[in-house]
Amino acid sequence: TYIYSNQGCLTNYWHNLLYINNIMTYDYFGPNNMQCAGHFWYLACDMQFFIASMIIVVCLNNRKVLRHIVLALTFLGSCVIQIYLVFKHKYQYNDMVHPNGTSYSYFYDFYIQPYSRIIPYILGIYFSELFLETDLYKNDYLKTDYEKLPKVEDSINDSTESQVDTEKRENVSPLYKFNKYIEENNWFAFALLCIGLILINVFFWTSSISNFNELSVLGSALFNTFGKVFFVLGLGIIVHLTFLNKFAFIRTLLTFKIESAVSRSSYGIYAVHFFIV
């Protein structure tokens, strides 16, 4: 398989260059009909999502409600498609371990397809919007922009100052208020941390259990669809808490310089290991 896939790069390399290798059809008989570097399917997904999300953001930049509707409908559409396909083809959760015996491949026809992978990306967009409403972003990333703002004259009267403060309070977004609530209530931050840890562990426990046991079709449909949601929500919650200066030890662990170097090196190794083998 590895040899055929490497040889398939001689004719199908352009699929990867255009980031469409995850949606092309291959019959997998002979070297010219294999996907080139199959482990790059996620690069294709990420590029497709990036381009689509930029189009949505640019076109609907001033239409926030419509943008959220488009993203929400995409999210729901992905859920419906995944559940339908699992029931139709009787896919098992983690079906690379439990082949279903049908003519449809769990990996190529389901696992690597955009409709099965868009949900985590949409959640990432929403977490980024939440991050934009933190003091960390406003103080550190927008500091240079704030410095460019015209300075308030020292002679401004108290009534004007009071009016400005009132307008600022009224213009504060709900997301910013939510972030401030987390900052001011340690019990709520701790509860969110526990929820994040539970969601991550549900994802890993389910993946581990499914390696040795077959799930019902309903269970497989639910975990195929929402397992990724659990993981991204759990991880997103924990990382976002560190942006709010909660659980600083986690942020310290995640920002060691040696870890950054190792992560970059390991990614490079992962990219080329397929060909080395």
Side-chain angles (χ1 to χ4, degrees):
T1 300
Y2 277 101
I3 294 174
Y4 278 164
S5 183
N6 286 337
Q7 291 179 350
C9 290
L10 295 175
T11 55
N12 298 327
Y13 64 89
W14 61 276
H15 297 173
N16 298 66
L17 293 179
L18 295 179
Y19 294 102
I20 59 174
N21 46 295
N22 65 317
I23 59 176
M24 297 299 290
T25 300
Y26 305 92
D27 60 24
Y28 302 100
F29 294 101
N32 295 329
N33 296 301
M34 291 293 291
Q35 181 178 174
C36 174
H39 63 310
F40 279 170
W41 64 266
Y42 68 95
L43 290 179
C45 276
D46 279 348
M47 180 58 75
Q48 292 158 11
F49 301 154
F50 175 72
I51 294 174
S53 64
M54 288 301 98
I55 293 174
I56 293 173
V57 169
V58 170
C59 295
L60 303 177
N61 185 44
N62 297 320
R63 299 180 179 180
K64 192 171 185 179
V65 174
L66 183 57
R67 184 172 76 244
H68 288 320
I69 291 176
V70 171
L71 292 175
L73 289 178
T74 304
F75 186 99
L76 292 174
S78 174
C79 293
V80 171
I81 291 174
Q82 290 183 79
I83 292 174
Y84 168 76
L85 289 176
V86 170
F87 271 95
K88 180 180 179 180
H89 300 299
K90 301 297 186 294
Y91 287 136
Q92 274 288 305
Y93 180 63
N94 199 4
D95 218 358
M96 288 173 287
V97 179
H98 302 286
N100 56 30
T102 70
S103 60
Y104 293 90
S105 166
Y106 173 79
F107 180 76
Y108 294 109
D109 297 323
F110 183 88
Y111 188 82
I112 69 175
Q113 293 301 314
Y115 48 73
S116 298
R117 291 288 159 180
I118 188 64
I119 286 180
Y121 202 92
I122 293 176
L123 292 175
I125 291 176
Y126 281 116
F127 269 113
S128 69
E129 290 203 10
L130 190 59
F131 169 70
L132 295 179
E133 295 298 331
T134 62
D135 287 331
L136 174 65
Y137 174 77
K138 294 181 180 297
N139 294 338
D140 293 348
Y141 293 84
L142 297 182
K143 185 176 181 181
T144 55
D145 292 334
Y146 282 163
E147 291 174 348
K148 296 176 183 177
L149 293 175
K151 299 296 185 275
V152 179
E153 297 294 336
D154 294 335
S155 59
I156 190 170
N157 58 54
D158 293 338
S159 61
T160 304
E161 286 182 346
S162 177
Q163 181 180 355
V164 171
D165 291 339
T166 302
E167 290 177 353
K168 286 182 178 179
R169 286 195 296 270
E170 292 177 350
N171 292 328
V172 170
S173 73
L175 293 181
Y176 184 79
K177 292 179 180 179
F178 178 71
N179 284 324
K180 296 304 290 185
Y181 185 82
I182 298 175
E183 289 179 344
E184 296 167 0
N185 295 274
N186 290 331
W187 68 269
F188 189 56
F190 181 74
L192 288 176
L193 176 67
C194 293
I195 292 173
L197 290 173
I198 290 173
L199 289 172
I200 290 176
N201 277 278
V202 167
F203 170 78
F204 281 114
W205 289 341
T206 305
S207 297
S208 178
I209 292 173
S210 69
N211 286 335
F212 305 100
N213 302 276
E214 291 194 4
L215 303 176
S216 65
V217 178
L218 176 60
S220 179
L222 292 177
F223 283 115
N224 266 298
T225 305
F226 299 108
K228 299 180 285 290
V229 176
F230 293 160
F231 178 77
V232 175
L233 279 179
L235 184 62
I237 288 172
I238 294 173
V239 173
H240 186 72
L241 288 172
T242 69
F243 295 154
L244 301 176
N245 293 319
K246 299 295 183 180
F247 312 105
F249 71 95
I250 297 178
R251 189 173 179 182
T252 300
L253 292 174
L254 294 176
T255 53
F256 282 141
K257 289 185 177 180
I258 183 63
E259 288 186 345
S260 178
V262 170
S263 66
R264 292 171 182 170
S265 301
S266 61
Y267 178 84
I269 294 171
Y270 176 76
V272 300
H273 85 283
F274 196 96
F275 304 99
I276 293 176
V277 171

